[in-house]
Amino acid sequence: MTWLSDITDGVQRLVVGGVQTLSPWNLFSSTVRIGVTGLSRAGKTAFLTSAASLLLARTQPRFALAPLGAGDVPRFDQARHLAALAGDPPRWPERTDSVSMLALTAQVDQSPLPSRTVRLEFLDYPGEWLLDLPLLTLSYPAWSAAVLARLEAPSMAPFTREFLAFAHGLPAKAPPDESLARAGTELYRAMLVRLRDAGFSYLQPGRHLMPAPGPEPPWIFFFPARGQGPFASLLAKRYDAYVDSVRRSLASPLFAEVDRLVVLADVLSALHAGAAAFADTREALAAAAGALRWRFSWADALGSLLEWRMPPKVIGRVAFVATKSDHVAERQRGNLAALMRNLAQVPGDGVATAHFAAASVRCTEDFVWTLEGRPVSAVRGRVLGQHVLTRSYPGEVPDQPPDTSFWAHPFLALPQFEPMRLADGGRLGVPNIGMDAVLNFLLQDVL
Ligand SMILES: Nc1nc2c(ncn2[C@@H]2O[C@H](COP(=O)(O)OP(=O)(O)OP(=O)(O)O)[C@@H](O)[C@H]2O)c(=O)[nH]1
Ligand SMILES: [Mg+2]
């Protein structure tokens, strides 16, 4: 090995890896920002807690939690989340209600060159907010038309009746009345909550379900409506203010800078929620993926050259992960990964992708259960708050998007299991299924 080949090797690793702030310093330091995305309850916080525990438990290279400098994104509270999992009894991290960031650094040996500092930045945020990203490219009338069309599908009627009666009853020339805006928003929010409880995911705007911390600004009171009268233009103005706020607080500072992506999906729960909710989850994932930056245009590239800055980052590597795979036995996890591959693809090419079935926080062990005289591969674990082991066999996981015959037999509910007890407070890493494969795919070229 010569110096030169070491250097070209290093440059190649960085370029291939999609780390775009090219400078001589990249040979000795690089930052990789990884967005952990997923719809609400997909398992993002558990994934991040587990991933960090596994990276921190490695000896080669040795990682440490890093300070966040002068940025304004709050710190991801790794210690608190890990302490919850390590508790007696173990607890799950709480629902996420704001954005946070976890930073880790390591010195990577690249002898004979001096070692390189690698900084990994992971983002966590409430899953509900992911679906605010597609709003950035939609006007209020276009958004309203798309949402109302989805809500008017006959299969939605049990959830949408009250809100639609209100929306359809709005007079075309309604005045820009505050109490009308609030009444409509309350009905719309209540409907979103009912849909979420029924397993639906394509629910916008995200802050109607998970409000941002602090007092509610006046522009939060809007909902989708047709028409062009004074009332509709009040709602449109509020929608624009909402989108502006998403751009300022979520999209520009966070997602614009991401160069790798983990897309988590709780596919097993979607199978349980039924055909309509499954289709809806699939559409929601596609809409979120469509909103991310996969490539930059010539206009972007030229604009940034004129301003002497690097072109915006594009996402170069994506791991699609079906989460909570410990709800099914090993024999079914191959199908789960194959199903994920059939559900989620990247728009366009030039992006390295891989599909996985994983459990960030393993709760169960596999065992053979004899059901009606026949052995099935099942799992067993402790259900939250109970002492005995509970056996579970939700059903066969299809390796393709399910057809009508699949929906004829219900895919059973997944019990909420208690995490396995952690050895040594989690310092050796959280017990999991398949996390090493995901982390290797994401990071092998930078480590
Ligand atoms: N069995 C099992 N359950 C899991 C696993 N990961 C997450 N869960 C369950 O899924 C729930 C949600 O996980 P979170 O990590 O909080 O999900 P999230 O995507 O951060 O959710 P939001 O912050 O609300 O968007 C947990 O409370 C657990 O009940 C896993 O690996 N195995
Ligand atoms: Mg979370």
Side-chain angles (χ1 to χ4, degrees), residues 39-47 92-96 124-128 324 326-327 359-363 416-417:
L39 303 173
S40 117
R41 312 313 283 153
K44 296 176 294 298
T45 305
F47 177 91
W92 288 100
E94 291 127 36
R95 260 175 194 265
T96 308
D124 191 34
Y125 62 90
E128 288 85 353
K324 315 182 193 178
D326 58 331
H327 279 294
S360 344
V361 181
R362 184 171 192 165
C363 304
Q416 203 189 8
F417 285 119

Side-chain angles (χ1 to χ4, degrees), residues 25 54 179 188 211 237 242 264 345 360:
W25 298 111
L54 295 169
S179 55
Y188 184 70
K237 275 202 206 100
Y242 183 96
L264 304 178
Q345 262 108 36
S360 344

